[in-house]
Amino acid sequence: MLFKKKPLLPPTVQEAVVAAIRAAEAKTTGEIRVFIESHCSFVDALDRAKEVFSNLSMEMTEERNAVLVYAALKDKQFAIFGDEEIYHKAGGQQFWERAAQLLQNGLRKGAPDEGLVACITELGNALGRHFPFKAEVDKNELPDEIVFGK
């Protein structure tokens, strides 16, 4: 007998997250990706996020302005990792703490969709301020779909 594995996020949540990514990226040349897995294979979620960022070649964006939202749902761990240009231009540690708090609030309430959408919206606003959309040069450098790990 073959068992079908339950998806980490229901299709409606996935659709809401992808819609939030597309809305956020419509205001910026920046890129946002979401990576979801059950368990974090590292002690520190930020270290795992850095690895995933590299594995997804997110540092290859033209303006070095990609952001990864990482979550290990069963371990209740998450991290937000941004490339060098957005990290500095968005205001450093204080900005990342606000975005992380929005994600954490949703996860604590058992509403990952709310947390992810709020976090992505906040990230999109910062990207839009520091890397505004330019119709003549903008292209979607990275896929908008959620990447799922194990």
Side-chain angles (χ1 to χ4, degrees):
M1 178 183 240
L2 186 63
F3 293 97
K4 188 173 180 180
K5 188 177 177 183
K6 183 180 174 190
L8 293 173
L9 293 175
T12 55
V13 172
Q14 291 180 43
E15 290 167 12
V17 170
V18 171
I21 292 169
R22 289 182 177 146
E25 289 183 357
K27 301 180 258 185
T28 180
T29 59
E31 296 288 331
I32 299 172
R33 299 224 51 199
V34 174
F35 186 93
I36 305 287
E37 61 187 351
S38 296
H39 298 284
C40 182
S41 57
F42 287 58
V43 173
D44 185 347
L46 186 57
D47 289 338
R48 176 67 173 137
K50 288 176 187 176
E51 178 188 58
V52 169
F53 190 93
S54 178
N55 289 346
L56 295 175
S57 299
M58 292 180 66
E59 73 283 353
M60 301 303 288
T61 60
E62 190 173 319
E63 294 187 60
R64 300 295 302 262
N65 57 359
V67 177
L68 175 70
V69 178
Y70 167 81
L73 297 178
K74 290 187 179 179
D75 290 341
K76 298 182 180 169
Q77 290 184 290
F78 70 91
I80 301 168
F81 185 78
D83 209 339
E84 58 190 29
E85 289 299 314
I86 186 59
Y87 179 82
H88 296 295
K89 287 185 178 181
Q93 189 66 28
Q94 188 177 27
F95 164 75
W96 300 104
E97 289 172 2
R98 281 195 311 272
Q101 188 65 50
L102 292 168
L103 177 56
Q104 186 176 36
N105 290 345
L107 295 175
R108 280 190 177 154
K109 290 186 343 188
D113 54 335
E114 286 180 30
L116 287 165
V117 168
C119 179
I120 290 164
T121 301
E122 179 73 17
L123 293 169
N125 290 337
L127 285 164
R129 278 191 302 278
H130 303 290
F131 298 94
F133 179 76
K134 300 174 204 157
E136 66 280 358
V137 296
D138 190 46
K139 59 185 177 288
N140 196 8
E141 295 180 81
L142 300 172
D144 298 333
E145 287 72 26
I146 300 169
V147 180
F148 290 97
K150 295 181 180 183

